[in-house]
């Protein structure tokens, strides 16, 4: 670990962490990158429902054209 580097709880460090860096996750990644990926994962359930609703609406629209 470089001087002043910070590793958050439950982080798995497999490579060098540069001085002053803040890392999180498994494997360790820059904190901002990790936070964005966690936010995306939190949205997956809602996105799945939206996709299912759009597929159903598309099927309805296509059947109306027949």
């Amino acid at each position: 670990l470089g001087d002043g580097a910070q590793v958050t709880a439950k982080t798995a460090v497999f490579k060098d962490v540069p001085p002053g860096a803040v890392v999180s996750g498994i494997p360790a990644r820059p904190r901002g990158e990790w936070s964005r990926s966690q936010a995306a994962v939190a949205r997956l359930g809602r996105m799945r429902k939206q996709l299912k609703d759009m597929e159903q609406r598309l099927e309805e629209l296509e059947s109306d054209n027949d």
Side-chain angles (χ1 to χ4, degrees):
L1 295 177
D3 288 343
Q6 297 178 21
V7 178
T8 62
K10 297 185 180 182
T11 295
V13 176
F14 299 110
K15 296 181 180 180
D16 290 342
V17 177
V22 180
V23 295
S24 297
I26 300 172
R29 294 181 289 167
R31 175 80 173 149
E33 179 184 319
W34 179 84
S35 294
R36 285 187 297 279
S37 68
Q38 290 302 108
V41 167
R43 291 189 303 268
L44 287 176
R46 180 174 44 101
M47 292 169 63
R48 182 174 180 252
K49 182 180 180 340
Q50 288 175 331
L51 179 58
K52 189 174 181 178
D53 291 346
M54 287 189 298
E55 287 173 335
Q56 182 178 359
R57 180 67 179 138
L58 180 59
E59 285 179 15
E60 291 171 3
L61 289 170
E62 288 176 338
S63 68
D64 287 347
N65 287 334
D66 291 341

